[in-house]
């Protein structure tokens, strides 16, 4: 199964390069800044989840590559903007200097804008190229809508606003969970749901995959908070203790180490339970849930 995930990552990177190469009119400084962050590495968690979700319900992972690339464009744009001095003011991302440290704040903002716009262009192009107005185009529209909503004002963007204010608000565990469902979890959930929709999942399957995504999204953020305190900066590719430096409320502040580990395990198991018996090949998504729980960076 690991070989398959590596193949997904290779195919995703190839598709993203193809898309960018086809955009010949991108200004050179903008292209360099976009490519710098896009190709800096990363686990490609969201596009891999999207492709494996498609396979889990009997679809062809290769047929959803445009949407996989689009969701990675959006994720990368969000990281570029998240690292800016006005937000987290981070110096390293994926083991390299952050975008604004290399290209300046103005170009970093524009690189993020460019990647976001490119994601929407890719998805709308897929819809526009559809041969008919039947079920196929409807699936593509629903999938695009999931991604746009996850990246929008009621999800990732508002989650980021809550994150900015978390240093002054003494958030309860409930409020912290709400913030991370929006800021981190929404795009992870969208990846899983989109893969299922594009592969033809029915309503019951989509609901199960949504529950899977919501749970691994929370577990993913909890592990992130844990690694920010105890992780290795070389493995993570970024500075640790950033949350403490920015005086943010995190799971490691509100929970003991044992409580946090128990909650991570619970959400991981809840994710796996959600898709048990709901699709033809759940094993890959179950392994991904375990891999994300056990990651060290």
């Amino acid at each position: 199964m690991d070989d398959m995930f590596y193949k997904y990552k290779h195919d995703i990177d190839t598709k993203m390069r193809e898309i960018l190469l086809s955009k010949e009119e991108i200004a050179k400084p903008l292209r360099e800044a976009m490519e710098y962050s896009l190709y800096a590495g990363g686990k490609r968690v969201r596009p891999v989840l999207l492709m494996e979700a498609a396979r889990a319900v009997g679809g062809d992972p290769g047929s959803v590559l445009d949407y996989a690339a689009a969701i990675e464009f959006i994720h990368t744009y969000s990281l570029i903007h998240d690292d800016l001095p006005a937000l987290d003011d981070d110096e390293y991302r994926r083991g390299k200097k952050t975008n604004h440290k290399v290209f300046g704040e103005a170009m970093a903002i524009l690189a993020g804008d460019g990647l976001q716009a490119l994601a929407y262009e890719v998805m709308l192009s897929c819809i526009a190229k559809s041969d008919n107005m039947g079920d196929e185009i409807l699936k593509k529209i629903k999938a695009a809508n999931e991604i746009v909503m996850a990246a929008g004002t009621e999800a990732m963007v508002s989650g980021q606003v809550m994150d900015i204010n978390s240093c002054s608000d003494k958030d309860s565990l409930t409020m912290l969970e709400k913030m991370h469902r929006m800021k981190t979890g929404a795009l992870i959930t969208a990846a899983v749901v989109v893969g299922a929709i594009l592969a033809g999942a029915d309503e019951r399957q989509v609901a199960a995959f949504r529950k899977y995504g919501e749970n691994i999204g929370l577990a993913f953020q909890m592990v992130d908070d844990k690694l920010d305190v105890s992780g290795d900066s070389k493995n993570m590719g970024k500075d640790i203790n950033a949350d403490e430096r920015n005086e943010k409320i995190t799971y490691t502040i509100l929970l003991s180490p044992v409580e946090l580990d128990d909650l991570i395990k619970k959400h991981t198991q809840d994710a796996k339970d959600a898709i048990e018996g709901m699709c033809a090949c759940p094993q890959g998504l179950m392994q991904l849930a375990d891999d994300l729980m056990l990651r060290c960076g």
Side-chain angles (χ1 to χ4, degrees):
M1 188 62 67
D2 287 341
D3 289 342
M4 183 179 294
F5 296 154
Y6 282 119
K7 183 181 185 304
Y8 287 170
K9 291 172 68 175
H10 175 268
D11 291 347
I12 292 158
D13 286 346
T14 299
K15 172 56 71 173
M16 292 192 299
R17 290 182 187 278
E18 287 176 357
I19 291 169
L20 275 172
L21 284 172
S22 72
K23 306 300 177 183
E24 298 178 357
E25 298 301 317
I26 298 177
K28 185 178 178 181
L30 177 61
R31 179 185 296 276
E32 289 175 351
M34 290 167 68
E35 290 179 344
Y36 176 82
S37 290
L38 199 60
Y39 305 144
K43 302 175 185 66
R44 309 302 191 212
V45 169
R46 291 149 193 82
V48 166
L49 281 167
L50 192 154
M51 294 179 73
E52 183 56 25
R55 191 184 79 87
V57 294
D60 173 16
S63 69
V64 300
L65 270 169
D66 284 303
Y67 280 78
I71 208 163
E72 187 64 18
F73 289 155
I74 288 177
H75 175 56
T76 303
Y77 120 71
S78 73
L79 297 182
I80 293 173
H81 284 190
D82 196 41
D83 290 336
L84 287 166
L87 295 176
D88 285 353
D89 195 17
D90 284 322
E91 188 170 357
Y92 289 94
R93 172 72 68 175
R94 293 173 172 173
K96 300 175 69 174
K97 289 281 189 178
T98 48
N99 198 289
H100 69 275
K101 293 291 185 181
V102 177
F103 299 96
E105 290 182 44
M107 192 57 64
I109 292 169
L110 292 170
D113 292 346
L115 286 167
Q116 181 187 41
L118 186 56
Y120 299 149
E121 182 181 341
V122 167
M123 292 187 290
L124 289 172
S125 293
C126 286
I127 295 167
K129 291 174 184 175
S130 297
D131 294 331
N132 57 67
M133 295 297 291
D135 289 343
E136 195 64 29
I137 194 169
L138 185 58
K139 288 190 293 186
K140 291 179 180 179
I141 292 171
K142 286 182 177 180
N145 187 57
E146 286 284 343
I147 292 176
V148 171
M149 289 180 65
T153 54
E154 293 183 301
M156 188 172 72
V157 178
S158 283
Q160 183 66 67
V161 172
M162 293 177 71
D163 189 37
I164 291 172
N165 293 330
S166 70
C167 58
S168 58
D169 295 340
K170 295 305 179 184
D171 298 286
S172 66
L173 194 60
T174 301
M175 288 301 296
L176 188 64
E177 180 177 309
K178 180 181 178 181
M179 179 184 80
H180 287 308
R181 282 185 184 276
M182 298 168 76
K183 180 175 182 262
T184 304
L187 205 58
I188 288 175
T189 301
V192 181
V193 171
V194 164
I197 289 173
L198 291 173
D202 61 33
E203 289 185 8
R204 287 180 66 249
Q205 288 174 311
V206 170
F209 277 53
R210 192 180 301 280
K211 186 174 180 181
Y212 169 94
E214 289 170 351
N215 277 285
I216 63 165
L218 286 173
F220 184 92
Q221 184 60 53
M222 290 172 186
V223 173
D224 250 20
D225 282 4
K226 181 178 174 181
L227 290 173
D228 187 67
V229 174
S230 61
D232 185 296
S233 59
K234 290 183 179 179
N235 288 336
M236 296 181 68
K238 59 183 180 180
D239 294 332
I240 61 171
N241 296 317
D243 292 329
E244 181 181 357
R245 184 185 72 232
N246 291 319
E247 299 182 329
K248 291 184 177 180
I249 304 299
T250 66
Y251 285 107
T252 56
I253 291 174
L254 298 180
L255 298 171
S256 71
V258 172
E259 289 173 328
L260 181 54
D261 283 342
D262 286 347
L263 202 53
I264 291 168
K265 291 174 184 176
K266 179 186 182 301
H267 282 299
T268 301
Q269 189 59 52
D270 286 349
K272 293 159 69 174
D273 289 345
I275 58 170
E276 181 72 43
M278 293 299 296
C279 54
C281 303
Q283 296 84 358
L285 287 176
M286 290 189 177
Q287 181 181 329
L288 281 167
D290 287 335
D291 289 348
L292 292 174
M293 176 180 68
L294 298 171
R295 76 189 192 278
C296 59

